[in-house]
Amino acid sequence: MNLDLWYRQAVLSVAGSPRVEALIKTRARSLVRRYVAGESLEEALQAAERLEVQGVHAILDLLGEMVHREEEARAFQRGILELVRAVAERPWPKYISLKLTQLGLDLSEALARELLRGILREAEPKGVFVRLDMEDSPRVEATLRLYKALREEGFSGVGLVLQSYLYRTEKDFWDLLPYRPNLRLVKGAYREPKEVAYGDKRLIDAEFLHLGKLALKEGLYVAFATHDPRLIAEVQRYTQAMGIPKERFEFQLLYGVRPEEQRRLAQEGYTVRAYVPYGTHWYPYLSRRIAERPENLFLVLRSLLGG
């Protein structure tokens, strides 16, 4: 098995243990604050203000996913609507992100569609862009269906995510092309079986660049979500060589990850956004960040040993 795949699957498997979750929640709070802006909306807005001063825009995300009861989904919708109203009052670019399982996708597509529709009805008139995060492979098809359905209802201020590690993604790209989607391109952070996803980092990176270049050639707006200096440099080289203006794409990075790179890219005139998560449901998000890089595991161990 590829070493990168083995590491990611091992970390996500261990992170699923209730004992490990309890340990991290009680002894690694300083690490949490490195990647999560806080538990309240006010803390997230303050983090966004600090980024704006540096020329980096915020993508605000109320953390939550895979709810098991309709009341939870409706509570998350209320929280996201509160976020929409707060962002709408700010002078900086208005941009939020959400997960459909947060809105009850696992309970019913109809429920998720209803709640998402309610969010878009409030967000679009206020100029708030809504990004639908892509979750693990069993939920991709439903996410694509809901995106297409809402676009066909006339909503335009909504974007989608494609993951380069899934075998199916290029086909999904061509299926989506008639909708002219605003795309965020990521490698993918979920634990996936070898039957559906590449395990070799070189192949995942190659697909990332292939899909990104394909989207640019087709005239789509592309958000390249990566921290990999090699991939960022290749996007810069390719767009310059092809004469693609900086207004046609952007770079997106995670809050707390390579902040100096975020500032550097912004100073060079690129649109840069930092994904700013907040809320009390941060553990699944943190688990995936730990699984992405071995260095993050060392930070966890240091936090645990240091209390």
Side-chain angles (χ1 to χ4, degrees), residues 2 19 37 74 81 120 124 131 137 143 155 164 202 208 216 231 262 281 286:
N2 177 270
R19 293 180 63 185
R74 293 191 180 278
L81 288 172
L120 294 176
E124 285 209 354
R131 177 76 66 183
S137 59
T143 301
F155 293 104
S164 70
R202 292 169 299 178
F208 181 92
L216 289 172
L231 296 181
Q262 297 180 27
H281 298 266
L286 182 66

Side-chain angles (χ1 to χ4, degrees), residues 99-136:
K99 289 180 170 57
L100 288 175
T101 63
Q102 185 177 34
L103 299 178
L105 180 63
D106 289 352
L107 300 172
S108 155
E109 281 190 40
L111 173 63
R113 182 172 175 175
E114 172 201 336
L115 298 183
L116 177 58
R117 184 189 292 117
I119 292 167
L120 294 176
R121 281 177 175 164
E122 181 135 0
E124 285 209 354
K126 291 178 166 61
V128 179
F129 183 78
V130 179
R131 177 76 66 183
L132 307 185
D133 285 345
M134 189 63 77
E135 300 178 73
D136 56 350

Side-chain angles (χ1 to χ4, degrees), residues 71-84:
E71 309 90 85
E72 291 179 278
R74 293 191 180 278
F76 271 120
Q77 189 210 35
R78 290 192 294 273
I80 294 168
L81 288 172
E82 181 187 12
L83 169 60
V84 167

Side-chain angles (χ1 to χ4, degrees), residues 3 19 21 31 36 52 65 79 108 116 120 123 147 154 160 163 165 177 209 219 226 235 239 254 264 286 295:
L3 186 59
R19 293 180 63 185
E21 179 176 350
L31 177 69
V36 178
E52 282 293 325
E65 56 193 88
S108 155
L116 177 58
L120 294 176
Y147 171 79
L160 199 62
Q163 301 168 112
Y165 72 168
L177 191 57
L209 290 172
T226 179
V235 171
T239 52
L254 298 172
R264 182 186 69 80
L286 182 66
E295 297 93 323

